[in-house]
Amino acid sequence: MFFIKPRDITSMDKLDLHQDEIDAFDLAPISLWLEDFSEVRKLFDSLRGAGVEDIVAYLREDENRIRECARLIRVQKVNKKTLSLFEASDLHELVANLGAIFRDDMLHTHVQELAQLWEGKGEFSSNTVNYTLSGKRLDIQLRGTVLPGHEASWGKVLISIENVTDREDARRQHAASQQYAEGLFEHSPVSLWVEDFSKIKKRLDGLRERGIEDFRIFTDVHPEFVQQCASEIRVIDVNRETLKLFQAPDAMTLLRRLPDVFKDEMNVHFREQLIDLWNGKLFHQRETVNYALDGSERHVLLQFSVLPGHETDWSLVQISLTDITARKKAEAYLEYLGKHDVLTRLHNRAFYVDELNRLERREFFPVSIVILDLNGLKTTNDQWGHGVGDGLLRRAGEILSEAVKPPHYAARIGGDEFAVLLPAVDEAGAVTIVEEITSLIEINNQYYSNIPLSFSIGWATSAAGEKLEAVAKRADLAMYQDKRLRYSTGETAWRNNTPSTEPS
């Protein structure tokens, strides 16, 4: 509707309406206005004569031109629904307060209505806002029609106003809810994917129709089925955090390089996901590994959910990926600390004890154990400080790490004491390892001649049926024998270790 300046409200007998037409007008269930646009028509004719071609540009150039058009319109009659809708007691109160009803941006909407008349259309429409006399907002849908017989003068124009406030409130609420949901999706602190799994659903249904009952066994026999299902996934949308997580500049780049993101062990995890879906678990979660576009690992907690209303076809599912890479690194480091000595980077005593027990249970034979004691550590600490002593320990760790490779293990089992576990290694093999260690010590000392590294070494090889704890004791005794000879003669005595290889 437009801003209407009332002029000379005429009496009912001048409207040329029959009684039945008056009754239909007054009792209509929507707001009706009968108006006279003849002065507007005359103004438009004069504007055309003056060379105006674009009425919209002309009116918007000066807002007073729009107001003048509105002032030329005369309200002839309104029905009861109009009075009720705008909370007016009668026509006089209504027209006296038209400025409160048609305000704010109504003039701009009025331009659209006038433009439709300018173009020669006998009908016009718009969607705009009016206000009741108490100030309540009304969303309205306005339609105007030039009545038959008045096409030349626009003397009678019927205006209908439908109150669509409830519909518009619902639309605004829906738009707000949609904006809220999109905001949650787009600005979520975790990676979110919206995907279509409907083709996978059809594939699984097809297997059931073929009589397949155990999906795990089926995928054991047909591993290619897992890859076929993976290729059927259609990604609908991803959020900003997804691009950040996988270091993708945009969604198109990410989708184009999905094979770089989901690779290696991903098929194993996806197979488990398919098994969950086969078993009816429409919500499930698991930890898995993906890759950023630069190739770096991303440990993620994957949560899969078929969205409500799509349980029968899986056409809309949401997958969230929470980045747990930092947690995994922390867990790995804690696990490392639980099994390693930080200073030497060798295994620690806890690992050594566990490995002894494991070898005992597995009944490895033979097992050789080498015990080493770092000579002079206390003296070095006292004379030069613990920093220098720690340097000796680090050098010891470097030597043993180089000499001992899996499936053999070197461990720091005390302040200056080390052990080497050699499963499936006989006495001759143990001697070879000791010789390798000794050779590396000599090389290392060439670079640290001011503080040479020195070990007392003993070893033992298990006899049939002998407990490994007893073997370790024999190796320890051999180490002490070497230490005594070393300090008494000043020479390395580990070659005299042979007698300790038999149980004492």
Side-chain angles (χ1 to χ4, degrees), residues 403-428:
V404 181
K405 304 295 184 182
H408 308 144
Y409 301 99
R412 183 185 179 193
I413 60 175
D416 56 3
E417 193 170 5
F418 300 83
V420 177
L421 292 175
L422 304 170
V425 173
D426 59 13
E427 181 181 348

Side-chain angles (χ1 to χ4, degrees), residues 51-114:
V52 174
E53 295 182 355
D54 188 338
I55 191 62
V56 173
Y58 174 80
L59 293 175
R60 286 181 176 170
E61 188 177 298
D62 185 351
E63 192 171 280
N64 288 324
R65 294 171 179 173
I66 309 173
R67 296 182 185 278
E68 175 62 17
C69 289
R71 189 186 65 81
L72 295 175
I73 300 170
R74 290 189 300 158
V75 178
Q76 296 180 327
K77 179 177 172 59
V78 298
N79 67 348
K80 294 178 181 179
K81 182 64 177 180
T82 301
L83 300 178
S84 171
L85 178 63
F86 292 96
E87 301 174 347
S89 58
D90 53 36
L91 179 61
H92 289 280
E93 183 182 14
L94 179 72
V95 296
N97 291 280
L98 288 178
I101 294 173
F102 311 126
R103 54 188 170 93
D104 299 337
D105 60 349
M106 283 295 299
L107 286 178
H108 299 291
T109 308
H110 188 30
V111 171
Q112 300 173 15
E113 300 162 1
L114 292 172

Side-chain angles (χ1 to χ4, degrees), residues 112-129:
Q112 300 173 15
E113 300 162 1
L114 292 172
Q116 293 174 67
L117 287 172
W118 174 273
E119 293 169 359
K121 298 177 181 178
E123 298 180 349
F124 56 88
S125 63
S126 66
N127 291 281
T128 187
V129 176

Side-chain angles (χ1 to χ4, degrees), residues 227-360:
Q227 187 59 43
Q228 290 169 1
C229 285
S231 67
E232 298 283 21
I233 298 172
R234 185 171 70 88
V235 178
I236 298 173
D237 200 3
V238 296
N239 67 348
R240 294 181 185 177
E241 187 63 24
T242 300
L243 303 181
K244 179 181 175 182
L245 176 63
F246 294 102
Q247 299 183 0
D250 52 62
M252 289 301 296
T253 301
L254 177 66
L255 298 183
R256 188 173 63 251
R257 295 187 58 186
L258 284 181
D260 296 329
V261 174
F262 309 121
K263 59 181 181 179
D264 298 341
E265 297 179 2
M266 192 59 196
N267 271 351
V268 176
H269 295 290
F270 184 57
R271 178 197 181 207
E272 294 301 316
Q273 186 177 342
L274 290 176
I275 291 172
D276 281 344
L277 288 171
W278 176 271
N279 293 327
K281 296 179 182 178
L282 301 187
F283 174 82
H284 48 262
Q285 61 182 28
R286 60 181 32 84
E287 293 182 2
T288 185
V289 178
N290 295 160
Y291 295 86
L293 297 189
D294 67 354
S296 57
E297 282 188 346
R298 292 294 184 270
H299 292 269
V300 297
L301 173 64
L302 180 150
Q303 294 179 293
F304 177 97
S305 179
V306 176
L307 294 180
H310 301 272
E311 295 87 351
T312 58
D313 62 4
W314 304 352
S315 60
L316 208 59
V317 306
Q318 179 172 276
I319 296 171
S320 70
L321 302 178
T322 304
D323 186 4
I324 57 173
T325 304
R327 192 196 83 192
K328 281 296 185 180
K329 288 181 178 179
E331 289 175 354
Y333 184 62
L334 289 174
E335 183 180 0
Y336 177 87
L337 292 180
K339 296 181 179 181
H340 290 79
D341 173 62
V342 177
L343 183 60
T344 64
R345 298 187 179 181
L346 299 174
H347 291 289
N348 59 15
R349 184 174 185 84
F351 175 87
Y352 168 74
V353 172
D354 288 343
E355 190 65 11
L356 272 183
N357 292 332
R358 186 185 73 85
L359 294 174
E360 194 81 70

Side-chain angles (χ1 to χ4, degrees), residues 151-212:
E151 294 87 353
S153 66
W154 300 351
K156 289 194 186 308
V157 178
L158 182 63
I159 307 291
S160 69
I161 293 178
E162 183 181 358
N163 180 12
V164 293
T165 304
D166 290 343
R167 186 190 73 191
E168 288 301 301
D169 283 345
R171 184 190 61 78
R172 282 189 288 268
Q173 184 176 3
H174 174 74
S177 297
Q178 185 174 4
Q179 184 179 19
Y180 177 70
E182 290 174 354
L184 288 178
F185 176 81
E186 194 59 40
H187 300 284
S188 171
V190 300
S191 167
L192 295 178
W193 303 62
V194 178
E195 299 179 355
D196 180 356
F197 268 53
S198 58
K199 290 186 177 180
I200 293 177
K201 177 69 163 61
K202 292 177 180 178
R203 280 186 173 273
L204 296 184
D205 288 345
L207 292 183
R208 294 185 193 278
E209 292 172 2
R210 288 164 50 190
I212 302 299

Side-chain angles (χ1 to χ4, degrees), residues 299-484:
H299 292 269
V300 297
L301 173 64
L302 180 150
Q303 294 179 293
F304 177 97
S305 179
V306 176
L307 294 180
H310 301 272
E311 295 87 351
T312 58
D313 62 4
W314 304 352
S315 60
L316 208 59
V317 306
Q318 179 172 276
I319 296 171
S320 70
L321 302 178
T322 304
D323 186 4
I324 57 173
T325 304
R327 192 196 83 192
K328 281 296 185 180
K329 288 181 178 179
E331 289 175 354
Y333 184 62
L334 289 174
E335 183 180 0
Y336 177 87
L337 292 180
K339 296 181 179 181
H340 290 79
D341 173 62
V342 177
L343 183 60
T344 64
R345 298 187 179 181
L346 299 174
H347 291 289
N348 59 15
R349 184 174 185 84
F351 175 87
Y352 168 74
V353 172
D354 288 343
E355 190 65 11
L356 272 183
N357 292 332
R358 186 185 73 85
L359 294 174
E360 194 81 70
R361 291 192 303 271
R362 295 288 298 274
E363 297 182 352
F364 273 94
F365 182 81
V367 174
S368 294
I369 300 175
V370 180
I371 301 295
L372 307 93
D373 189 85
L374 182 58
N375 296 320
L377 179 61
K378 184 178 185 306
T379 302
T380 300
N381 284 334
D382 292 343
Q383 286 187 341
W384 305 101
H386 286 276
V388 177
D390 287 349
L392 282 176
L393 288 168
R394 278 191 288 269
R395 288 165 60 191
E398 291 170 3
I399 289 169
L400 293 176
S401 294
E402 180 64 27
V404 181
K405 304 295 184 182
H408 308 144
Y409 301 99
R412 183 185 179 193
I413 60 175
D416 56 3
E417 193 170 5
F418 300 83
V420 177
L421 292 175
L422 304 170
V425 173
D426 59 13
E427 181 181 348
V431 171
T432 300
I433 293 293
V434 171
E435 288 176 342
E436 175 69 12
I437 294 171
T438 304
S439 175
L440 290 172
I441 292 171
E442 293 175 356
I443 295 171
N444 186 272
N445 283 335
Q446 293 176 15
Y447 295 94
Y448 300 94
S449 56
N450 57 331
I451 303 179
L453 192 66
S454 172
F455 279 112
S456 295
I457 306 175
W459 71 92
T461 300
S462 63
E466 183 182 12
K467 294 291 185 181
L468 293 184
E469 185 179 355
V471 179
K473 286 182 178 179
R474 290 196 292 111
D476 196 48
L477 289 173
M479 181 274 294
Y480 278 112
Q481 180 181 353
D482 181 42
K483 185 177 287 287
R484 284 193 299 271

